[in-house]
Every structure is written in structure tokens, then in C-alpha cells.
Amino acid sequence: MRASSSAAAIAEGWLTVVELSADSTDLKRLIDPGEAEAILLAGQIACRFLLIDERRGRAVARRRGVPVVGTGGLLVVAKERGAIGSVREVLAELAGQGYRLAPALLEEIRRLAGE
């Protein structure tokens, strides 16, 4: 099912396949392969920011000059812009799916969202 969903998204222009211009082997020794390729792609296309939560991956991205934002920051902005009503509710839904954040970080995200 994923392959057909991905193929449909590509066919409809929602996704674009891009070849990396750099080798990710060295980065893959430091961080997860997916994060390594995301960081390289973000640098390659000069993206506005890279959505990444893993601490080590964020540090590597910053060292390479890639601006980063985490899920919490994205949720705070989404609430500010009226896209979601409650950061707390979305975080609870994410936790129900196995997404984990440190308790102190959860509290900080809620505070920033005014919850």
C-alpha cells in the first residue's frame, strides 16, 4: 500500500524524488541513515529548515549550517497560525503512536504554546 500511495503522491506532484549530490557514508557513521540523507538534501536544496527531532542529528545539521526545527516548534507555530487548536492534544496523539519527548521538553512546548 505504501508504494502505491508514494507513487500516487509523486504522480500528483506532492512528492519529488531528488538525487543527492554528496555521499552520505561519513554522516551515516554518526547518525541514522535517513537523518544523514535528510541533512545532506536540506543543504543541497537550501531549505528554509529541516524538521528533525533527534538530538545528535540536530547538532550535525546545525554544524553544517542547516536550520532545524523540531516537532514541538512546528506544533507551536501551527497553533499560532490557527492550523491546530491544541498542542497538548496533538502531543497526546503522538505519544499514543509511540512518539517520545522528554518530560521537560513537553512542558516547555506546552508553555510556549500557552497551554
Side-chain angles (χ1 to χ4, degrees):
M1 183 179 246
R2 279 185 172 207
S4 63
S5 297
S6 298
I10 291 168
E12 293 174 18
W14 286 94
L15 293 177
T16 303
V17 177
V18 178
E19 294 289 327
L20 288 176
S21 61
D23 182 19
S24 61
T25 304
D26 289 340
L27 278 182
K28 287 179 181 177
R29 292 182 189 138
L30 300 172
I31 57 177
D32 177 81
E35 291 169 345
E37 291 187 359
I39 290 167
L40 288 174
L41 179 60
Q44 179 177 313
I45 65 171
C47 70
R48 186 168 163 200
F49 64 86
L50 174 63
L51 178 61
I52 185 170
D53 286 321
E54 199 272 327
R55 186 178 298 170
R56 184 176 290 155
R58 290 170 68 97
V60 169
R62 284 188 184 113
R63 281 196 303 270
R64 293 176 146 269
V66 175
V68 298
V69 69
T71 299
L74 187 68
L75 292 175
V76 170
V77 171
K79 181 180 178 187
E80 289 171 353
R81 294 186 179 180
I84 62 172
S86 169
V87 168
R88 184 181 302 269
E89 289 177 15
V90 174
L91 288 171
E93 289 177 32
L94 288 170
Q97 298 296 319
Y99 182 80
R100 299 175 319 212
L101 287 174
L105 182 55
L106 285 170
E107 189 57 38
E108 177 66 7
I109 293 166
R110 290 182 196 123
R111 185 190 67 73
L112 290 170
E115 297 180 14

